[in-house]
Amino acid sequence: MFNRLNKYIKKLEIKKKSTIKDIAIALGLTPSAVSKALSNHPRISDKTKEAVKKMALTLDYQPNTLSSALRKGKSNLVGVIIPRVNSNFFSSVVENMEEVLNAHGYNIVMTQSNELYDKECKSIDSLLGIQVDGIIASMANETTCLDYYNKIKSKGVQLVLFDRGEDELDVDYIGIDDYKSSHLIIDHLHLQNCKKIAHIAGFNHIRIYKDRVQGYRDALEKCGLPIYEEMIIESNLRIEDGRRIMKELLKLPERPDAVYAAGDYAALGALQVLKEENIKVPEEIALIGFSNEPFTSLSSPTITTINQQSAQIGKLAAEAFLERVKNPKGRIHLKKIILEPELIIRESSQKNDL
């Protein structure tokens, strides 16, 4: 028998993957008996269970979790879509989200859109294809059409949005008060005697950036400060966008005495240009970013920014999904959780004489 078994194992070495059928043949059992033994069925003897487990290790058997999910109608997988993996905000959100989900038996499958609509759509199709139980997402900058997000809902898959989301989708949402964030920033710059405040904005079709711009406008009006339309410039908020826009602002007949960037990477790009041009920060031009990326506390000067409560957003988004799973027919009210922003004041906006 052992010779026959060794020959069979050698044959399996050329196969890519062992199956339940392979274990059954090796032990002279039925595939059904092997399946029951692997799932600890009470009708299978302990001796048989032990033999099956040992053979599974010998043959390096790996269960097909997707196939099992298709049979059970539940995968215990949650798809997560983020715009960029190189953002500390998004990585912190995902880390805290995963901690909560893992504690409840779920694993995450993470994808990034790279701010591209087409890639976001492909990610949604892929996640639906592997039968995820839910999708937690933050939209790409390019996304203006919500058809694919409505597709998630039409499939009966739970959907939670965080940071970037749209009210018309009518799903749970977790984020901060972006409108209030701009008020905190403008109020602070006003106290620093800044009078011409530029805004490196995100794209206005995205609600959070629209809210930041509206908060910026309203705060300037409240403080009795002028609004310079030529100083409000939309972008992808990357380092190169911050560099390009800062150069444009410096070419204006009257350049700003402060710049509020709606993202830290754009603020970093702006700071690079200011240092290259030997412009003193904050004495000549104050600078504020958004998101509290790690480099903001390490740059010279350190950059004033908004703390977006990433850890709390991640945990609350996961909890919102878990509540939906427990109440799949929508017997609980939609959650729209708006957290308080925090302005972290650092050297780039704190003038020495104040």
Side-chain angles (χ1 to χ4, degrees):
M1 176 181 175
F2 288 109
N3 289 334
R4 180 171 61 86
L5 182 57
N6 286 333
K7 287 179 181 178
Y8 185 69
I9 291 173
K10 286 180 180 179
K11 285 182 181 179
L12 287 175
E13 288 176 354
I14 62 171
K15 292 181 65 174
K16 291 183 179 179
K17 190 173 182 180
S18 298
T19 66
I20 283 178
K21 186 178 178 182
D22 295 324
I23 298 173
I25 292 172
L27 294 175
L29 298 172
T30 65
S32 175
V34 172
S35 179
K36 288 177 181 178
L38 290 170
S39 60
N40 203 30
H41 196 284
R43 291 187 179 180
I44 302 297
S45 70
D46 290 342
K47 183 179 179 181
T48 299
K49 289 177 185 176
E50 187 64 25
V52 167
K53 288 177 183 176
K54 284 183 178 179
M55 185 54 65
L57 286 172
T58 301
L59 300 182
D60 195 25
Y61 167 74
Q62 297 292 327
N64 189 329
T65 53
L66 179 56
S67 177
S68 177
L70 290 171
R71 290 195 301 271
K72 294 177 183 177
K74 184 175 174 63
S75 66
N76 284 96
L77 296 174
V78 178
V80 177
I81 305 173
I82 59 173
R84 300 184 306 274
V85 296
N86 68 342
S87 160
N88 183 69
F89 168 73
F90 288 117
S91 62
S92 175
V93 168
V94 173
E95 180 182 358
N96 285 275
M97 186 187 297
E98 186 174 35
E99 183 181 336
V100 173
L101 293 173
N102 285 172
H104 287 80
Y106 288 91
N107 288 304
I108 69 166
V109 179
M110 190 181 76
T111 68
Q112 70 166 335
S113 65
N114 266 337
E115 305 288 12
L116 302 173
Y117 173 70
D118 286 343
K119 192 169 183 184
E120 186 174 72
C121 293
K122 289 175 183 176
S123 292
I124 290 171
D125 277 338
S126 296
L127 293 172
L128 292 176
I130 62 171
Q131 304 266 328
V132 293
D133 295 331
I135 292 178
I136 304 176
S138 183
M139 292 181 177
N141 271 343
E142 276 192 3
T143 300
T144 56
C145 175
L146 302 179
D147 287 353
Y148 265 75
Y149 282 99
N150 280 312
K151 180 179 180 179
I152 296 170
K153 294 175 64 180
S154 70
K155 298 285 186 182
V157 174
Q158 302 302 329
L159 173 62
V160 176
L161 296 177
F162 71 93
D163 187 45
R164 304 182 197 170
E166 297 301 327
D167 293 336
E168 53 263 45
L169 279 171
D170 204 29
V171 297
D172 294 325
Y173 170 80
I174 320 292
I176 66 165
D177 191 332
D178 291 284
Y179 179 83
K180 185 174 181 178
S181 297
S182 291
H183 276 263
L184 293 176
I185 289 168
I186 300 305
D187 288 347
H188 168 65
L189 290 172
H190 186 223
L191 286 174
Q192 306 305 303
N193 290 331
C194 297
K195 302 185 186 303
K196 291 176 285 186
I197 304 172
H199 183 38
I200 302 177
F203 293 117
N204 202 50
H205 65 264
I206 298 172
R207 185 186 53 75
I208 62 168
Y209 298 129
K210 186 188 299 182
D211 288 348
R212 289 176 200 178
V213 169
Q214 192 59 54
Y216 159 84
R217 289 178 177 276
D218 291 349
L220 287 175
E221 186 176 348
K222 179 189 71 176
C223 294
L225 297 174
I227 298 173
Y228 298 91
E229 296 297 335
E230 68 275 17
M231 291 189 186
I232 305 172
I233 305 174
E234 294 182 12
S235 76
N236 260 315
L237 299 174
R238 297 166 299 193
I239 291 177
E240 54 266 37
D241 296 308
R243 289 185 59 85
R244 172 179 55 81
I245 293 171
M246 192 69 249
K247 289 176 182 178
E248 290 179 27
L249 292 171
L250 292 177
K251 291 176 183 177
L252 293 174
E254 286 191 64
R255 73 186 190 189
D257 56 12
V259 175
Y260 156 31
D264 282 337
Y265 283 94
L268 179 60
L271 179 61
Q272 290 174 352
V273 170
L274 291 171
K275 293 178 78 172
E276 288 164 10
E277 296 295 326
N278 295 313
I279 295 171
K280 294 179 182 178
V281 179
E283 292 84 359
E284 295 179 74
I285 297 181
L287 179 66
I288 294 183
F290 205 109
S291 198
N292 196 27
E293 292 289 332
F295 62 76
T296 57
S297 65
L298 303 172
S299 61
S300 179
T302 55
I303 301 173
T304 297
T305 187
I306 289 284
N307 176 11
Q308 286 186 266
Q309 314 293 359
S310 58
Q312 203 172 354
I313 287 176
K315 290 175 181 177
L316 290 171
E319 289 169 4
F321 161 75
L322 292 170
E323 283 190 38
R324 285 288 156 198
V325 170
K326 291 177 184 176
N327 300 272
K329 295 186 178 179
R331 293 175 184 172
I332 56 175
H333 294 297
L334 286 175
K335 281 190 172 185
K336 186 174 183 182
I337 301 175
I338 306 299
L339 303 172
E340 286 292 311
E342 175 193 7
L343 180 65
I344 301 173
I345 299 172
R346 297 196 180 110
E347 296 167 348
S348 69
S349 67
Q350 189 73 46
K351 296 194 175 183
N352 295 328
D353 58 343
L354 291 176

